Amino acid sequence: MRERPVPKDQEIKLGEEEFIVSKTDTTGKITYANRVFMEISGYGERELLGVQHNIIRHPDMPRALFKLLWDTLKEKKEFFGFVKNLCKDGSYYWVFANITPDIDNEGRVVGYYSVRRQAPISAIRTVEPIYREMVRIEKGAGGVKQGIAKAQGYLQDLLQSKRTDYEKFALELYG
Amino acid sequence: MTDRSERYAYKPFLRTQINLLCSGTVLLPAGFAVWQGVAWGWHWQLILLPLAMAALAGYSHFALHRYLDAIGRIKHVLKKCRRGEFHHRVTRVHAMGEVGQIAWELNEFLDLCEAYFREMTTVFTRAGNGEFHRRALGHGLPGQMRNSLKYANLALETMKENHEQQLATRLSHSLHDLNTGNLVSNLKLCQKDMVQVTEILEDVVAIADANANAASESKAGVDEVRRSVRDIAAKVASAARIIEDLSANSQQVINSLSIITEIADQTSLLALNASIEAARAGEYGRGFAVVADEVKALSNRTKEAAVEISKILQSFGDSVDAISKEAGESVALAERMQPLVETFSTRFGEFEQASHRTIVQATNAQETSFSTLVKVDHIIYKQNAYLAVSDPEANVDEGKAIAVDNHSCRLGKWYYEGTGKERFSGLPSYRKLEKPHEGVHRSAHRALELAHQDWKANRHLIDDIVAMMEKMEKSSLEVMEILNQMNEESIARRERQEQESSQASS
């Protein structure tokens, strides 16, 4: 098991006209990462290729959100979301991620393609407390599964009260 | 069919050149060393240069082939690009200098292309499914690509407007068709009710007219009876006076009779005296002359008294005649009154029946009106539902009006606690109303809920809304039919009871 970087309170921002591109196979292993990805995350190509994409998963992110991500992709739909990622040196960066399944001519999913742009500060301010509460719920629940279910319920109720779903919510926040 | 690019393919010139160069680098020093050894004799130092050159050639061959391999992969990716596959990348080009740079430039160019094509494909695919909120994200894309996505978004905006207009038209058309069709039949039901009420009221008016005529006729009869009764009273008063006279006359008769009695007494006494005198004198019959005088005087008085009695009796007879005449008149009056009184009795019987009929018909009319009223309330509820569902934001009041459940709407109150319960709860169809009525409310609530969602972004929602309203109409039709049944059953029940009671009374 690879040693996880210790998170520290230092934010890295993507440039105005930059975006991170990465590709994974169906199991989530990285098959391609662009140079912006490497520069921001601090990992080299050799450290990334063939490795699970969750190498950059930040502990502040609720598991329920990744569950939502995978559930959406399994339906062969694209996913939008705000994600806080962890750099090799422990600093973090916020992105607005768009992940689409790679579908071949026979309609099979052969991998995933992700474009991630800098998340606007107003959006980060909105989602941060929601994620914090979801993480709190997950930790407070008896087990991992129950935690995810509870946090998902919380998010669902919140979105329902605003008469929206996560994708619309995210797209609106991105502006 | 062979690929044109294959037909005109360049020979792998670079690879051949490298192979030739490397071979030359190995072979030339080796040949030179062999020639030196043959000419000037062998020396171990002679192999140093060929060895070094061979090593150099080997390294060059390896390094150059790595580049060639990378270039080969770049060529492969470009070929794929030409076939429209933008998802291939050139990886593992670490520390390859210019070749690596070219590979990365290609990769990042492909990132842009792929991002651009994915955006285009995704937004239009989703727009095709009615999801217009997904706009193309041009951020991070350069120049023309970004502009192109901007125009795509403009196109999407127009598409969205058209789509929404179409959907709005579709929704309002569907709701309008549904509503008009049902509204007409609903109004027809109410119209039928009103026709029935009118007919019943016509009956009621006719009965009331007949009653009024009969009443005025009866009034004439009553006047006659009153006059007759007044005459009778006058006759009876005069009879009383006659009887009084009669009584006074009788008194006189009694007085006269006592005089006669007195005379008779004295006569008998005189007769006794005469008999005593006659016995004592015997031969002295002189005394008889005196007695005979007295008796004669007595007989005169008796005669007077008798005349008097006869006079009295005469007047008595007159009185009796008068009484009998009066009595005769009274009897005639009574005889004349008899048929009048009988007519009265019949009339009053008719009055009574007519009044019953009036009550029955008026109650029928009242119930039918009640039923119509709740039907109209129900129709208004549905109209509110149509308004609220067609535009929930603009018709908030209508939305609130239909938010009530089937116990709190006017029909519900009528049914559960009001006149409906009071009048109809004993009927077989009463219980049947609850379920469809609840269905109407449930469907209307569900339709409004759906209408609150973003149906402009989801065309299936419109179908669902219309389907839900159709469901509401179906339940509503049942409600209307059951209300009719209840009304008919109630009228039939009342007619039956009326018949039974009239049979019992006759």
Side-chain angles (χ1 to χ4, degrees):
Chain A
M1 188 71 198
R2 198 177 50 248
E3 215 174 284
R4 284 242 168 220
V6 180
K8 60 180 181 185
D9 190 22
Q10 191 188 329
E11 185 176 3
I12 295 178
K13 291 203 169 186
L14 273 86
E16 253 310 288
E17 292 302 315
E18 281 180 335
F19 56 53
I20 291 172
V21 176
S22 62
K23 284 164 169 284
T24 68
D25 62 13
T26 48
T27 64
K29 281 189 180 132
I30 299 169
T31 54
Y32 171 73
N34 74 344
R35 283 188 289 189
V36 181
F37 189 2
M38 294 182 221
E39 275 163 37
I40 301 281
S41 69
Y43 291 103
E45 192 185 40
R46 271 179 287 192
E47 289 171 289
L48 291 173
L49 295 186
V51 171
Q52 280 291 328
H53 207 287
N54 66 14
I55 184 174
I56 52 162
R57 185 178 288 190
H58 199 283
D60 287 353
M61 282 301 291
R63 286 165 185 273
L65 201 81
F66 293 105
K67 170 95 171 32
L68 179 67
L69 184 158
W70 282 109
D71 288 347
T72 310
L73 293 179
K74 267 177 205 154
E75 285 176 46
K76 295 185 182 175
K77 286 182 180 166
E78 62 171 341
F79 174 82
F80 278 106
F82 289 99
V83 182
K84 188 181 190 177
N85 282 332
L86 184 66
C87 304
K88 193 181 180 182
D89 66 355
S91 44
Y92 66 90
Y93 58 99
W94 272 100
V95 290
F96 177 60
N98 173 223
I99 304 163
T100 42
D102 264 330
I103 295 165
D104 70 4
N105 292 334
E106 275 98 62
R108 280 175 309 205
V109 175
V110 291
Y112 301 100
Y113 172 82
S114 154
V115 175
R116 298 194 289 283
R117 300 170 166 92
Q118 175 63 43
I121 182 78
S122 55
I124 298 172
R125 287 214 180 104
T126 310
V127 296
E128 230 178 353
I130 300 173
Y131 287 179
R132 204 178 300 133
E133 179 61 18
M134 286 170 76
V135 170
R136 199 188 62 74
I137 290 168
E138 283 174 2
K139 283 184 179 153
V144 176
K145 265 196 177 171
Q146 294 99 304
I148 291 175
K150 273 189 181 175
Q152 239 176 348
Y154 165 79
L155 183 66
Q156 210 60 42
D157 291 346
L158 190 83
L159 294 171
Q160 222 146 48
S161 72
K162 293 174 197 276
R163 286 183 175 279
T164 183
D165 55 39
Y166 185 76
E167 186 191 78
K168 281 181 191 154
F169 174 67
L171 279 171
E172 242 162 65
L173 278 178
Y174 185 69
Chain B
M1 194 181 129
T2 53
D3 193 333
R4 243 139 80 109
S5 68
E6 291 297 328
R7 246 190 292 152
Y8 298 108
Y10 293 100
K11 292 278 174 267
F13 188 56
L14 210 54
R15 198 174 287 271
T16 318
Q17 275 183 327
I18 288 168
N19 287 343
L20 280 173
L21 270 173
C22 289
S23 314
T25 314
V26 176
L27 290 174
L28 276 175
F32 186 68
V34 169
W35 174 69
Q36 272 201 328
V38 171
W40 291 289
W42 285 98
H43 193 273
W44 67 272
Q45 282 165 325
L46 281 179
I47 62 163
L48 280 178
L49 184 66
L51 272 180
M53 291 308 278
L56 181 68
Y59 172 73
S60 301
H61 189 266
F62 167 75
L64 287 171
H65 268 271
R66 235 185 103 228
Y67 289 118
L68 276 179
D69 173 58
I71 291 167
R73 281 190 286 139
I74 290 170
K75 180 189 143 195
H76 174 75
V77 168
L78 283 169
K79 250 173 141 175
K80 294 279 185 188
C81 287
R82 215 153 54 84
R83 288 187 191 151
E85 293 177 24
F86 292 94
H87 60 272
H88 301 280
R89 297 290 186 275
V90 186
T91 53
R92 300 178 203 279
V93 285
H94 185 68
M96 284 200 186
E98 288 87 339
V99 176
Q101 273 177 356
I102 290 169
W104 275 116
E105 286 303 323
L106 176 63
N107 282 344
E108 270 157 28
F109 170 67
L110 289 176
D111 287 348
L112 295 174
C113 289
E114 197 172 355
Y116 172 81
F117 287 121
R118 272 181 196 258
E119 284 299 308
M120 281 295 213
T121 314
T122 312
V123 292
F124 284 108
T125 309
R126 293 187 68 171
N129 294 327
E131 295 174 76
F132 291 96
H133 67 279
R134 169 68 163 103
R135 292 299 157 91
L137 301 171
H139 206 86
L141 291 174
Q144 278 192 325
M145 285 182 169
R146 194 167 188 165
N147 270 339
S148 161
L149 289 185
K150 215 185 284 171
Y151 288 120
N153 281 340
L154 283 176
L156 280 170
E157 186 55 46
T158 316
M159 277 171 77
K160 184 189 173 194
E161 277 166 20
N162 283 340
H163 181 74
E164 282 180 1
Q165 212 155 21
Q166 262 180 10
L167 287 183
T169 315
R170 212 175 110 197
L171 180 62
S172 70
H173 264 235
S174 309
L175 289 180
H176 182 257
D177 288 352
L178 192 59
N179 187 14
T180 323
N182 285 292
L183 185 60
V184 168
S185 61
N186 286 170
L187 287 176
K188 274 186 184 158
L189 275 179
C190 289
Q191 191 188 35
K192 202 179 127 202
D193 280 355
M194 293 321 282
V195 167
Q196 200 180 348
V197 170
T198 314
E199 278 169 5
I200 292 171
L201 286 178
E202 273 168 12
D203 278 1
V204 171
V205 168
I207 293 167
D209 263 353
N211 276 354
N213 286 337
S216 68
E217 277 173 36
S218 298
K219 192 167 172 286
V222 168
D223 286 345
E224 209 177 327
V225 169
R226 207 176 59 211
R227 272 198 306 277
S228 304
V229 168
R230 204 166 52 202
D231 287 354
I232 288 169
K235 304 284 177 198
V236 168
S238 87
R241 273 197 308 277
I242 291 164
I243 287 164
E244 234 170 74
D245 289 353
L246 209 57
S247 149
N249 288 346
S250 313
Q251 193 57 48
Q252 278 178 332
V253 173
I254 289 163
N255 292 344
S256 301
L257 280 176
S258 72
I259 293 167
I260 292 169
T261 308
E262 197 186 317
I263 291 164
D265 282 350
Q266 283 179 358
T267 307
S268 83
L269 197 64
L270 281 177
L272 186 65
N273 285 346
S275 70
I276 292 165
E277 287 299 325
R280 209 166 29 119
E283 61 266 40
Y284 306 97
R286 250 178 67 194
F288 268 110
V290 178
V291 176
D293 281 348
E294 284 301 321
V295 170
K296 194 182 176 188
L298 278 175
S299 83
N300 279 345
R301 279 178 70 189
T302 307
K303 196 181 171 188
E304 274 167 34
V307 167
E308 212 170 330
I309 287 169
S310 116
K311 266 186 198 163
I312 290 161
L313 282 179
Q314 184 66 45
S315 121
F316 190 78
D318 289 349
S319 294
V320 167
D321 277 353
I323 286 172
S324 108
K325 198 183 155 212
E326 299 282 307
E329 278 175 19
S330 287
V331 167
L333 266 178
E335 272 169 2
R336 265 163 62 207
M337 269 172 78
Q338 190 61 31
L340 273 177
V341 169
E342 260 162 31
T343 314
F344 265 152
S345 162
T346 323
R347 272 286 145 80
F348 281 124
E350 280 169 13
F351 271 154
E352 200 193 2
Q353 268 192 348
S355 302
H356 274 298
R357 287 294 312 152
T358 311
I359 291 164
V360 167
Q361 290 293 57
T363 315
N364 287 349
Q366 192 191 25
E367 263 174 21
T368 311
S369 308
F370 275 143
S371 172
T372 310
L373 187 65
V374 293
K375 274 180 203 149
V376 170
D377 284 340
H378 183 70
I379 293 167
I380 289 169
Y381 179 88
K382 283 197 299 177
Q383 292 308 304
N384 281 335
Y386 278 111
L387 285 172
V389 168
S390 64
D391 196 347
E393 275 81 28
N395 300 317
V396 177
D397 289 344
E398 284 78 4
K400 280 184 196 154
I402 67 158
V404 295
D405 70 0
N406 58 317
H407 287 260
S408 320
C409 69
R410 285 184 69 170
L411 173 57
K413 284 186 178 151
W414 176 84
Y415 181 75
Y416 289 106
E417 50 202 66
T419 326
K421 187 187 175 192
E422 191 186 302
R423 298 255 173 123
F424 301 114
S425 58
L427 296 171
S429 53
Y430 178 80
R431 293 211 170 281
K432 287 197 269 175
L433 187 73
E434 182 165 28
K435 226 172 148 190
H437 182 213
E438 196 190 343
V440 170
H441 281 260
R442 212 178 28 237
S443 303
H445 292 174
R446 181 77 193 118
L448 185 60
E449 231 172 78
L450 291 172
H452 270 297
Q453 291 175 21
D454 190 8
W455 52 264
K456 285 177 180 167
N458 183 357
R459 67 181 125 185
H460 301 301
L461 265 178
I462 290 193
D463 296 338
D464 291 348
I465 291 171
V466 174
M468 216 25 94
M469 292 301 274
E470 273 169 358
K471 220 171 144 190
M472 180 190 83
E473 285 294 359
K474 214 177 139 225
S475 303
S476 164
L477 195 66
E478 266 185 75
V479 167
M480 294 281 192
E481 276 165 4
I482 292 167
L483 282 172
N484 269 5
Q485 276 176 27
M486 273 161 61
N487 198 27
E488 281 162 14
E489 281 172 15
S490 172
I491 288 175
R493 181 174 64 178
R494 197 167 298 107
E495 301 281 345
R496 211 167 46 237
Q497 283 169 351
E498 186 60 23
Q499 265 179 9
E500 277 165 13
S501 73
S502 69
Q503 271 168 8
S505 66
S506 67

